[in-house]
């Protein structure tokens, strides 16, 4: 049973560029949430997708956007990258909005120079 | 208390001892709590969860205690092993949506 997978593992971008991160949820899960984890801190909620729609959003600017596909996989897009966007980006999946448990992927380490 | 930057609170224990990691949560309306373990370079790994209608739940070598009166959560690890060394986060959930993570605690197990 495949767990949550994310790609790429690491990424280096330059300020002002755009980046797309990808996530495949755990088998049987249909809800994907994205989190940003700065070094030495806990994950911060970005947004959650269910039925291909953004259902809830954290305190992140519009430069952060996402998408969910019919197969439940998801993308996180960040435009106009800032140095402060350097972080570990985590994807978590769960089974429907009626379930609490969220399982995390290994993350994508984004470095903005 | 809150951690700032790299200065996570650290708990150092001897192998074989019991560990207790504490967490204070903020939202009295939260109805679900999870403990996650995060090893270096990896995503958070689910350990154990508890709903607000319970005050104790046990798993394999782990016990979570919930005190809603003082909004406090603790994770007890029995017979701590070197493989338990990691950063531990508590997270709270209200309304089955976003998880709100607390400040982490780094557990160091001394051989």
């Amino acid at each position: 049973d495949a767990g949550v997978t994310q790609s790429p593992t690491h990424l280096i971008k330059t300020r002002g560029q755009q980046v797309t991160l990808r996530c495949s949820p755990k088998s049987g899960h249909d809800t994907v949430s994205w989190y940003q984890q700065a070094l030495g801190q806990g994950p911060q909620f970005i947004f959650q997708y269910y039925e291909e729609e953004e259902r809830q959003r954290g305190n992140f600017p519009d430069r952060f956007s996402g998408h969910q596909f019919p197969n439940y996989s998801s993308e996180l897009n960040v435009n106009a990258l800032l140095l402060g966007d350097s972080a570990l980006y985590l994807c978590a999946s769960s089974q429907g909005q009626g379930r609490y448990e969220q399982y995390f992927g290994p993350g994508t380490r984004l470095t903005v120079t | 208390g809150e951690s700032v930057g790299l200065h996570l609170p650290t708990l150092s224990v001897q192998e074989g001892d019991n560990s207790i990691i504490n967490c204070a949560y903020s939202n009295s309306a939260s109805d679900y709590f999870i403990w996650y373990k995060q090893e270096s370079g990896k995503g958070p790994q689910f350990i154990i969860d508890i709903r607000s209608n319970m005050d104790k739940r046990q798993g394999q070598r782990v016990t979570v205690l919930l005190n809603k009166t003082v909004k406090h959560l603790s994770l007890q690890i029995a017979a701590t092993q070197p493989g338990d060394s990691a950063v531990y986060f508590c997270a709270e959930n209200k309304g089955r949506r976003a998880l709100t993570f607390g400040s982490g605690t780094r557990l160091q197990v001394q051989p």
Side-chain angles (χ1 to χ4, degrees), chain A residues 71-100:
Chain A
N71 67 352
Y72 310 123
S73 66
S74 177
E75 288 182 350
L76 165 66
N77 301 292
V78 186
N79 294 322
L81 284 167
L82 304 174
L83 294 179
D85 294 331
S86 295
L88 180 68
Y89 288 85
L90 295 161
C91 169
S93 73
S94 53
Q95 185 182 22
Q97 288 195 299
R99 297 289 298 270
Y100 290 93

Side-chain angles (χ1 to χ4, degrees), chain A residues 35 37 40 56 97 100 102, chain B residues 5 32 36 38 51 97-99:
Chain A
Y35 293 80
Q37 185 176 26
Q56 189 181 15
Q97 288 195 299
Y100 290 93
Q102 294 188 21
Chain B
Y32 177 66
Y36 285 97
Q38 188 173 26
R51 299 187 191 280
R97 296 287 181 88
L99 290 172

Side-chain angles (χ1 to χ4, degrees), chain A residues 11-111:
Chain A
L11 204 52
I12 299 175
K13 290 286 188 177
T14 304
R15 273 182 301 175
Q17 287 188 317
Q18 179 265 344
V19 68
T20 297
L21 310 181
R22 296 176 176 82
C23 170
S24 291
K26 182 178 170 65
S27 178
H29 287 186
D30 56 9
T31 302
V32 173
S33 302
W34 286 91
Y35 293 80
Q36 180 195 65
Q37 185 176 26
L39 193 62
Q41 298 183 23
Q44 299 291 315
F45 176 73
I46 303 175
F47 42 55
Q48 182 183 83
Y49 277 84
Y50 173 70
E51 292 186 335
E52 302 180 48
E53 290 188 13
E54 183 182 297
R55 300 292 179 168
Q56 189 181 15
R57 188 179 185 93
N59 188 26
F60 279 80
D62 292 344
R63 297 187 297 109
F64 289 77
S65 63
H67 188 77
Q68 186 179 35
F69 299 93
N71 67 352
Y72 310 123
S73 66
S74 177
E75 288 182 350
L76 165 66
N77 301 292
V78 186
N79 294 322
L81 284 167
L82 304 174
L83 294 179
D85 294 331
S86 295
L88 180 68
Y89 288 85
L90 295 161
C91 169
S93 73
S94 53
Q95 185 182 22
Q97 288 195 299
R99 297 289 298 270
Y100 290 93
E101 299 91 342
Q102 294 188 21
Y103 294 89
F104 284 83
T108 293
R109 171 70 63 188
L110 173 64
T111 302

Side-chain angles (χ1 to χ4, degrees), chain B residues 1 3 10 23 26 29 35 38 47 50 69 72 84 88 103:
Chain B
S3 61
T10 299
C23 175
S26 57
W35 279 99
Q38 188 173 26
I47 301 173
I50 187 169
T69 302
H72 182 268
D84 295 326
Y88 289 80
S103 54

